[in-house]
Amino acid sequence: GGAPIVLIGTHKDLVSSVSEHERISKLLYDEFRQSPVFNASVCPYMEGEVTTGMGQLWFFPVDNTKGLKDPAIVAAMRQIEECAEGEDYVKCRVPFTWLATLDAMTATGRKTLDLPSVEALAARCGVGLEGLTVADEVQLMLAHLAALGVVMYFGEAQLRNLVILSPVDFLIEPFSLILCNFEVHFKPQHAAARKRFPREWTRFTQRGVVQRRMLDVLWGGFGNSAELEALASKHGVMVPLLSEGGGGDAECEYLVPSILSRDPLP
């Protein structure tokens, strides 16, 4: 059935009308009720405030300014806790050496670590002493931690050397450089890319097509540019375009759907 989903609506202090909450709930239900994911995974707010008293809402309207004094926040936390406790992976026992390795990785304060560094930390924490090699057990450990959402790790060739300890910190800033309104959020990296590749910049901002060599300029300051490119492609942030002429690696092109123009590509 997939992971449970809890829909949260913030700013109840600004949108406080119970009838408005009911309208939003109905909109969500009407829009998604035919979705198998919605029916199997979305957790309703059974104790919601409605015009007739207490009833069901398909989201939790919360007032962040009240914190735990808001019953909806308490109910949402309880729902999340119940969902988590019902998942098998929460009850899964793992070696203490894995937990020690996770603590050691976190203690580095890094957003990412390369695989050899993780293996070195794991070896110092006692991983690999129960019949498996350090490398093999680290792969099992990383797969488990990734399934829990504690780290981000993928075993394919382009990404297997990178362990992402803080996915939000690692991904948001570079991805926001290609997923933005360039008229409002124009950064120094944009200026550098526009100056170096003026024609390609126009095509990117007007047609949603970006070349790898421009990505190298936009993401050059972050490191791991190749891995960022692979992750963006893997998760649909960018879609590779096939080139009839072949071209070199630098001329490899991607379509960025979120800024895709309605106009046909040239």
Side-chain angles (χ1 to χ4, degrees):
I5 299 172
V6 177
L7 300 176
I8 305 291
T10 57
H11 300 294
K12 188 170 66 175
D13 54 319
L14 301 178
V15 185
S16 58
S17 168
V18 171
S19 60
E20 186 73 4
H21 299 165
E22 286 185 292
R23 189 188 70 79
I24 295 170
S25 179
K26 184 178 185 302
L27 179 65
L28 290 169
Y29 180 75
D30 290 343
E31 185 72 22
F32 299 112
R33 63 182 175 180
Q34 296 186 28
S35 166
V37 173
F38 182 85
N39 292 322
S41 301
V42 174
C43 303
Y45 180 19
M46 301 301 296
E47 302 166 357
E49 184 181 359
V50 296
T51 51
T52 56
M54 181 181 292
Q56 175 179 290
L57 296 173
W58 285 104
F59 75 109
F60 291 74
V62 303
D63 181 350
N64 295 332
T65 65
K66 291 184 177 180
L68 294 178
K69 293 181 180 179
D70 182 1
I73 290 181
V74 176
M77 293 174 62
R78 185 171 61 247
Q79 180 67 70
I80 292 170
E81 185 176 328
E82 290 175 357
C83 289
E85 290 177 348
E87 295 296 308
D88 290 338
Y89 62 77
V90 175
K91 307 180 183 74
C92 180
R93 300 177 65 182
V94 299
F96 176 77
T97 53
W98 291 14
L99 300 178
T101 303
L102 177 60
D103 288 342
M105 290 191 296
T106 304
T108 66
R110 302 266 308 272
K111 298 177 184 178
T112 66
L113 289 172
D114 58 36
L115 185 58
S117 296
V118 172
E119 290 175 347
L121 289 173
R124 289 201 291 269
C125 292
V127 170
L129 300 180
E130 299 294 332
L132 289 173
T133 65
V134 172
D136 287 343
E137 189 171 347
V138 163
Q139 288 299 311
L140 294 175
M141 177 190 70
L142 291 175
H144 179 73
L145 294 176
L148 291 176
V150 177
V151 303
M152 182 178 283
Y153 182 72
F154 302 97
E156 55 256 48
Q158 287 179 298
L159 295 169
R160 75 181 312 271
N161 193 51
L162 182 69
V163 180
I164 304 173
L165 305 179
S166 181
V168 172
D169 291 337
F170 178 66
L171 296 174
I172 291 300
E173 190 172 357
F175 281 8
S176 68
L177 291 174
I178 61 171
L179 304 174
C180 68
N181 182 334
F182 300 103
E183 295 179 1
V184 177
H185 304 288
F186 193 76
K187 301 295 181 69
Q189 295 94 326
H190 295 144
R194 184 178 66 175
K195 182 177 181 180
R196 185 169 177 181
F197 303 112
R199 292 182 180 178
E200 292 85 350
W201 175 260
T202 299
R203 191 160 184 247
F204 174 38
T205 56
Q206 296 186 5
R207 296 288 187 267
V209 177
V210 62
Q211 285 191 349
R212 175 176 289 156
R213 58 184 177 179
M214 185 180 292
L215 291 174
D216 290 339
V217 175
L218 292 171
W219 291 345
F222 297 104
N224 301 111
S225 183
E227 288 85 355
L228 285 169
E229 183 179 337
L231 285 165
S233 180
K234 180 179 180 68
H235 295 289
V237 175
M238 308 187 306
V239 181
L241 291 176
L242 297 178
S243 173
E244 294 181 358
D249 285 347
E251 296 181 2
C252 174
E253 292 185 327
Y254 292 92
L255 192 65
V256 183
S258 67
I259 63 169
L260 180 62
S261 170
R262 294 181 181 274
D263 298 329
L265 294 177

mmCIF file with all atom_site columns, all heavy atoms in Angstrom, residues 113-124:
data_model
loop_
_atom_site.group_PDB
_atom_site.id
_atom_site.type_symbol
_atom_site.label_atom_id
_atom_site.label_alt_id
_atom_site.label_comp_id
_atom_site.label_asym_id
_atom_site.label_entity_id
_atom_site.label_seq_id
_atom_site.pdbx_PDB_ins_code
_atom_site.Cartn_x
_atom_site.Cartn_y
_atom_site.Cartn_z
_atom_site.occupancy
_atom_site.B_iso_or_equiv
_atom_site.pdbx_formal_charge
_atom_site.auth_seq_id
_atom_site.auth_comp_id
_atom_site.auth_asym_id
_atom_site.auth_atom_id
_atom_site.pdbx_PDB_model_num
ATOM 1  N N   . LEU A 1 113 ? 29.444 12.231 2.574  1.00 0.00 ? 113 LEU A N   1
ATOM 2  C CA  . LEU A 1 113 ? 30.717 11.535 2.740  1.00 0.00 ? 113 LEU A CA  1
ATOM 3  C C   . LEU A 1 113 ? 30.892 10.619 1.546  1.00 0.00 ? 113 LEU A C   1
ATOM 4  O O   . LEU A 1 113 ? 29.900 10.104 0.997  1.00 0.00 ? 113 LEU A O   1
ATOM 5  C CB  . LEU A 1 113 ? 30.725 10.696 4.025  1.00 0.00 ? 113 LEU A CB  1
ATOM 6  C CG  . LEU A 1 113 ? 30.785 11.442 5.367  1.00 0.00 ? 113 LEU A CG  1
ATOM 7  C CD1 . LEU A 1 113 ? 30.576 10.456 6.506  1.00 0.00 ? 113 LEU A CD1 1
ATOM 8  C CD2 . LEU A 1 113 ? 32.111 12.171 5.529  1.00 0.00 ? 113 LEU A CD2 1
ATOM 9  N N   . ASP A 1 114 ? 32.143 10.398 1.136  1.00 0.00 ? 114 ASP A N   1
ATOM 10 C CA  . ASP A 1 114 ? 32.350 9.418  0.084  1.00 0.00 ? 114 ASP A CA  1
ATOM 11 C C   . ASP A 1 114 ? 32.354 8.026  0.713  1.00 0.00 ? 114 ASP A C   1
ATOM 12 O O   . ASP A 1 114 ? 32.530 7.867  1.938  1.00 0.00 ? 114 ASP A O   1
ATOM 13 C CB  . ASP A 1 114 ? 33.622 9.690  -0.715 1.00 0.00 ? 114 ASP A CB  1
ATOM 14 C CG  . ASP A 1 114 ? 34.876 9.712  0.138  1.00 0.00 ? 114 ASP A CG  1
ATOM 15 O OD1 . ASP A 1 114 ? 34.968 8.931  1.097  1.00 0.00 ? 114 ASP A OD1 1
ATOM 16 O OD2 . ASP A 1 114 ? 35.790 10.502 -0.174 1.00 0.00 ? 114 ASP A OD2 1
ATOM 17 N N   . LEU A 1 115 ? 32.131 7.026  -0.110 1.00 0.00 ? 115 LEU A N   1
ATOM 18 C CA  . LEU A 1 115 ? 31.992 5.660  0.391  1.00 0.00 ? 115 LEU A CA  1
ATOM 19 C C   . LEU A 1 115 ? 33.236 5.174  1.130  1.00 0.00 ? 115 LEU A C   1
ATOM 20 O O   . LEU A 1 115 ? 33.107 4.562  2.211  1.00 0.00 ? 115 LEU A O   1
ATOM 21 C CB  . LEU A 1 115 ? 31.643 4.716  -0.766 1.00 0.00 ? 115 LEU A CB  1
ATOM 22 C CG  . LEU A 1 115 ? 31.334 3.267  -0.391 1.00 0.00 ? 115 LEU A CG  1
ATOM 23 C CD1 . LEU A 1 115 ? 30.170 3.186  0.589  1.00 0.00 ? 115 LEU A CD1 1
ATOM 24 C CD2 . LEU A 1 115 ? 31.031 2.458  -1.661 1.00 0.00 ? 115 LEU A CD2 1
ATOM 25 N N   . PRO A 1 116 ? 34.459 5.409  0.638  1.00 0.00 ? 116 PRO A N   1
ATOM 26 C CA  . PRO A 1 116 ? 35.640 4.973  1.400  1.00 0.00 ? 116 PRO A CA  1
ATOM 27 C C   . PRO A 1 116 ? 35.694 5.569  2.810  1.00 0.00 ? 116 PRO A C   1
ATOM 28 O O   . PRO A 1 116 ? 36.120 4.891  3.755  1.00 0.00 ? 116 PRO A O   1
ATOM 29 C CB  . PRO A 1 116 ? 36.815 5.447  0.537  1.00 0.00 ? 116 PRO A CB  1
ATOM 30 C CG  . PRO A 1 116 ? 36.271 5.470  -0.849 1.00 0.00 ? 116 PRO A CG  1
ATOM 31 C CD  . PRO A 1 116 ? 34.853 5.934  -0.701 1.00 0.00 ? 116 PRO A CD  1
ATOM 32 N N   . SER A 1 117 ? 35.260 6.821  2.969  1.00 0.00 ? 117 SER A N   1
ATOM 33 C CA  . SER A 1 117 ? 35.258 7.432  4.296  1.00 0.00 ? 117 SER A CA  1
ATOM 34 C C   . SER A 1 117 ? 34.261 6.746  5.216  1.00 0.00 ? 117 SER A C   1
ATOM 35 O O   . SER A 1 117 ? 34.540 6.526  6.403  1.00 0.00 ? 117 SER A O   1
ATOM 36 C CB  . SER A 1 117 ? 34.922 8.927  4.186  1.00 0.00 ? 117 SER A CB  1
ATOM 37 O OG  . SER A 1 117 ? 35.914 9.622  3.459  1.00 0.00 ? 117 SER A OG  1
ATOM 38 N N   . VAL A 1 118 ? 33.102 6.403  4.670  1.00 0.00 ? 118 VAL A N   1
ATOM 39 C CA  . VAL A 1 118 ? 32.104 5.682  5.468  1.00 0.00 ? 118 VAL A CA  1
ATOM 40 C C   . VAL A 1 118 ? 32.637 4.309  5.858  1.00 0.00 ? 118 VAL A C   1
ATOM 41 O O   . VAL A 1 118 ? 32.481 3.869  7.008  1.00 0.00 ? 118 VAL A O   1
ATOM 42 C CB  . VAL A 1 118 ? 30.780 5.549  4.685  1.00 0.00 ? 118 VAL A CB  1
ATOM 43 C CG1 . VAL A 1 118 ? 29.798 4.634  5.433  1.00 0.00 ? 118 VAL A CG1 1
ATOM 44 C CG2 . VAL A 1 118 ? 30.159 6.916  4.455  1.00 0.00 ? 118 VAL A CG2 1
ATOM 45 N N   . GLU A 1 119 ? 33.277 3.637  4.921  1.00 0.00 ? 119 GLU A N   1
ATOM 46 C CA  . GLU A 1 119 ? 33.828 2.311  5.221  1.00 0.00 ? 119 GLU A CA  1
ATOM 47 C C   . GLU A 1 119 ? 34.916 2.403  6.304  1.00 0.00 ? 119 GLU A C   1
ATOM 48 O O   . GLU A 1 119 ? 35.007 1.529  7.176  1.00 0.00 ? 119 GLU A O   1
ATOM 49 C CB  . GLU A 1 119 ? 34.376 1.684  3.949  1.00 0.00 ? 119 GLU A CB  1
ATOM 50 C CG  . GLU A 1 119 ? 33.286 1.287  2.955  1.00 0.00 ? 119 GLU A CG  1
ATOM 51 C CD  . GLU A 1 119 ? 33.827 0.779  1.633  1.00 0.00 ? 119 GLU A CD  1
ATOM 52 O OE1 . GLU A 1 119 ? 35.039 0.961  1.374  1.00 0.00 ? 119 GLU A OE1 1
ATOM 53 O OE2 . GLU A 1 119 ? 33.038 0.210  0.849  1.00 0.00 ? 119 GLU A OE2 1
ATOM 54 N N   . ALA A 1 120 ? 35.719 3.464  6.267  1.00 0.00 ? 120 ALA A N   1
ATOM 55 C CA  . ALA A 1 120 ? 36.770 3.637  7.277  1.00 0.00 ? 120 ALA A CA  1
ATOM 56 C C   . ALA A 1 120 ? 36.155 3.872  8.651  1.00 0.00 ? 120 ALA A C   1
ATOM 57 O O   . ALA A 1 120 ? 36.605 3.292  9.658  1.00 0.00 ? 120 ALA A O   1
ATOM 58 C CB  . ALA A 1 120 ? 37.677 4.800  6.889  1.00 0.00 ? 120 ALA A CB  1
ATOM 59 N N   . LEU A 1 121 ? 35.107 4.717  8.717  1.00 0.00 ? 121 LEU A N   1
ATOM 60 C CA  . LEU A 1 121 ? 34.421 4.947  9.987  1.00 0.00 ? 121 LEU A CA  1
ATOM 61 C C   . LEU A 1 121 ? 33.783 3.658  10.495 1.00 0.00 ? 121 LEU A C   1
ATOM 62 O O   . LEU A 1 121 ? 33.846 3.344  11.693 1.00 0.00 ? 121 LEU A O   1
ATOM 63 C CB  . LEU A 1 121 ? 33.347 6.029  9.821  1.00 0.00 ? 121 LEU A CB  1
ATOM 64 C CG  . LEU A 1 121 ? 33.817 7.461  9.617  1.00 0.00 ? 121 LEU A CG  1
ATOM 65 C CD1 . LEU A 1 121 ? 32.634 8.369  9.300  1.00 0.00 ? 121 LEU A CD1 1
ATOM 66 C CD2 . LEU A 1 121 ? 34.540 7.970  10.853 1.00 0.00 ? 121 LEU A CD2 1
ATOM 67 N N   . ALA A 1 122 ? 33.161 2.904  9.564  1.00 0.00 ? 122 ALA A N   1
ATOM 68 C CA  . ALA A 1 122 ? 32.491 1.661  9.945  1.00 0.00 ? 122 ALA A CA  1
ATOM 69 C C   . ALA A 1 122 ? 33.488 0.650  10.498 1.00 0.00 ? 122 ALA A C   1
ATOM 70 O O   . ALA A 1 122 ? 33.205 -0.048 11.496 1.00 0.00 ? 122 ALA A O   1
ATOM 71 C CB  . ALA A 1 122 ? 31.753 1.078  8.740  1.00 0.00 ? 122 ALA A CB  1
ATOM 72 N N   . ALA A 1 123 ? 34.647 0.555  9.874  1.00 0.00 ? 123 ALA A N   1
ATOM 73 C CA  . ALA A 1 123 ? 35.671 -0.385 10.347 1.00 0.00 ? 123 ALA A CA  1
ATOM 74 C C   . ALA A 1 123 ? 36.107 -0.032 11.766 1.00 0.00 ? 123 ALA A C   1
ATOM 75 O O   . ALA A 1 123 ? 36.288 -0.921 12.612 1.00 0.00 ? 123 ALA A O   1
ATOM 76 C CB  . ALA A 1 123 ? 36.861 -0.383 9.399  1.00 0.00 ? 123 ALA A CB  1
ATOM 77 N N   . ARG A 1 124 ? 36.243 1.267  12.059 1.00 0.00 ? 124 ARG A N   1
ATOM 78 C CA  . ARG A 1 124 ? 36.639 1.690  13.396 1.00 0.00 ? 124 ARG A CA  1
ATOM 79 C C   . ARG A 1 124 ? 35.549 1.421  14.429 1.00 0.00 ? 124 ARG A C   1
ATOM 80 O O   . ARG A 1 124 ? 35.836 1.274  15.619 1.00 0.00 ? 124 ARG A O   1
ATOM 81 C CB  . ARG A 1 124 ? 36.997 3.184  13.398 1.00 0.00 ? 124 ARG A CB  1
ATOM 82 C CG  . ARG A 1 124 ? 38.303 3.487  12.689 1.00 0.00 ? 124 ARG A CG  1
ATOM 83 C CD  . ARG A 1 124 ? 38.882 4.818  13.138 1.00 0.00 ? 124 ARG A CD  1
ATOM 84 N NE  . ARG A 1 124 ? 38.081 5.939  12.683 1.00 0.00 ? 124 ARG A NE  1
ATOM 85 C CZ  . ARG A 1 124 ? 38.279 6.588  11.534 1.00 0.00 ? 124 ARG A CZ  1
ATOM 86 N NH1 . ARG A 1 124 ? 39.242 6.184  10.705 1.00 0.00 ? 124 ARG A NH1 1
ATOM 87 N NH2 . ARG A 1 124 ? 37.533 7.611  11.205 1.00 0.00 ? 124 ARG A NH2 1
#
